[in-house]
Every structure is written in C-alpha cells, then in structure tokens.
C-alpha cells in the first residue's frame, strides 16, 4: 500500500526495486536481473540467490554469448568473485554486470493485467511474446478463483500459438497460484493500471513458476 501511493500524482512505472518488493509481498517468485558494478557482484549475489548467471555490460557489446560475456552456473560467492574478475580482464570497457538467478527450462508465458475502458482491470494469460489481446490471449475479470483460473487455462489451450500446459510437463498448480495472486493484487491495489509478468517460466511439476521480467504501472 505504501508503494501504491507513488501513483497518486499520475501514471508512474514502479522502479525495479519497488516492483520486486511488490511481487515478493504478493508471494510471486521472481528471478529478475539486477545490474551492478563488478565490485558489488558478490554482495548482490547473496540477495539474488544461487545458482547465478552473470552477463557483462560494456559499450558496443551486443553478442554477449559469442564474446564469452555470459557465465553460467555460479553457485557460491567465490565463483561470483572469480567470474567478475574474469570479465574485468577479458571485456574491454566493462561498466557493470547483470546478475540473475539461473532457472531451468520450462514453459514461457505472460500473465498480465490490462485495463479495459468498459470492464476495468482484466487478468490476461498468453504465450510469451504474444499480443495480450484476444484472440491471442485468455482473460478473466477479477476476482479469479481456482475454478476461474482453470477455465482461463482451458481457454488458453484453444489458442493456436499457446504452448502445451499438460500436467506431465508444467506445474499447472503453480501457474494457477500466480494467476490468483495477480488477481488478488488487483483488488489490493486499485491504483494498478497495467502489470506484465513476461516471461513467467512455468517449470516442471512440483518446481513452481518464476517471473524473469516484469513491469507495473500505477495511476
């Protein structure tokens, strides 16, 4: 509620730290990237969580994987310190590093809130990268119950571009939980004008669902 007051003076996008605080308070698992100076990498890693991916940031650096500027599987503070030193030695003009918790392969979706002029806030689910409007997405008016969320996913599976969400390969229960928590956030924060969780990686059964990038607008 304290952060929602930031929108009192008009439309505003939450800063990454505030957005992360809101999502964590809502109970939504996040692995959002943090960009810091190389010398702060070790301290930041403890907050982000292991295992980690570290990516170099430098002027003109575009193809980071080809340049060896993406380091995977960093599992402790010592590995992070070595990786930061390695990038400083090899990447000319290194300005910062991006740290993100390493997440396994899963189904990538978007879960969003958009405000319709007639109906108000709508909870939307679509394939990652799809336009979050019909017919590319499934949507429901909040509040969204567990049965509503199941029906929303059934609608989504009828969309040709939607990935398969069968119980053998995706943690449907975790996805439904995220959808319901997003719906609850709409009720708790009427100032919310737009929310986008994309990609939301739905891991195999029993492993959860994790947000990798997000944005939230108040107004």
């Amino acid at each position: 509620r304290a952060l929602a007051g930031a929108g009192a003076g008009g439309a505003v996008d939450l800063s990454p730290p505030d957005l992360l605080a809101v999502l964590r308070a809502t109970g939504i698992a996040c692995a959002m990237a943090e960009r810091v100076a190389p010398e702060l990498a070790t301290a930041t890693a403890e907050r982000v969580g292991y295992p980690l991916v570290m990516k170099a940031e430098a002027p003109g650096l575009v193809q980071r994987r080809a340049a060896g500027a993406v380091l995977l599987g960093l599992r402790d503070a010592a590995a992070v310190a070595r990786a930061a030193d390695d990038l400083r030695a090899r990447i000319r003009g290194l300005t910062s590093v991006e740290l993100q918790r390493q997440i396994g392969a899963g189904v990538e979706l978007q879960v969003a809130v958009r405000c319709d002029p007639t109906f108000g806030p709508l909870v939307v689910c679509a394939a990652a990268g799809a336009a979050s409007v019909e017919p590319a997405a499934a949507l429901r008016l909040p509040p969204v119950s567990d049965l509503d969320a199941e029906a929303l996913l059934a609608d989504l599976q009828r969309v040709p571009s939607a990935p398969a969400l069968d119980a053998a390969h995706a943690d449907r229960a975790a996805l439904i939980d995220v959808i319901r928590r997003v719906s609850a956030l709409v009720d708790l924060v009427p100032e919310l004008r737009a929310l986008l969780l994309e990609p939301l990686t739905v891991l195999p059964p029993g492993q959860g669902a994790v947000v990798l990038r997000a944005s939230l607008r108040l107004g």
Side-chain angles (χ1 to χ4, degrees):
R1 289 303 314 149
L3 291 171
V12 60
D13 293 323
L14 281 191
S15 67
D18 286 349
L19 172 56
L20 188 58
V22 168
L23 294 179
R24 284 177 173 167
T26 311
I28 295 173
C30 301
M32 293 164 60
E34 293 196 35
R35 188 174 296 174
V36 297
E39 58 269 22
L40 299 177
T42 304
T44 304
E46 297 298 322
R47 181 173 66 252
V48 174
Y50 298 103
L52 278 170
V53 178
M54 181 183 291
K55 303 176 184 179
E57 299 284 343
L61 182 61
V62 179
Q63 299 295 331
R64 290 191 290 194
R65 286 189 181 275
V70 178
L71 304 178
L72 305 173
L74 307 178
R75 297 189 175 277
D76 54 35
V80 170
R82 288 194 299 271
D85 289 342
D86 177 44
L87 292 178
R88 269 193 289 251
R90 291 191 297 105
I91 305 300
R92 179 175 298 180
L94 181 71
T95 56
S96 60
V97 294
E98 186 179 273
L99 296 173
Q100 187 167 30
R101 187 156 58 91
Q102 188 169 326
I103 302 299
V107 178
E108 293 196 343
L109 297 172
Q110 63 170 268
V111 174
V113 175
R114 66 178 178 87
C115 286
D116 182 89
T118 302
F119 298 105
L122 296 169
V123 177
V124 180
C125 189
S132 57
V133 295
E134 295 181 284
L139 45 87
R140 285 293 184 279
L141 281 166
V144 179
S145 69
D146 53 349
L147 295 178
D148 293 330
E150 285 282 11
L152 184 152
L153 295 184
D155 289 349
L156 180 63
Q157 294 299 267
R158 289 189 278 269
V159 175
S161 62
L165 291 169
D166 57 283
H169 298 96
D171 195 335
R172 287 176 64 93
L175 174 56
I176 287 170
D177 185 63
V178 170
I179 292 168
R180 294 195 65 196
R181 290 177 186 274
V182 167
S183 172
L185 185 61
V186 173
D187 287 338
L188 289 167
V189 185
E191 300 91 341
L192 194 154
R193 291 295 171 264
L195 170 69
L196 178 61
L197 310 180
E198 183 184 22
L200 171 71
T201 299
V202 184
L203 297 167
Q207 297 184 33
V210 183
V211 176
L212 300 186
R213 287 191 300 275
S215 62
L216 191 156
R217 172 162 290 191
L218 300 168

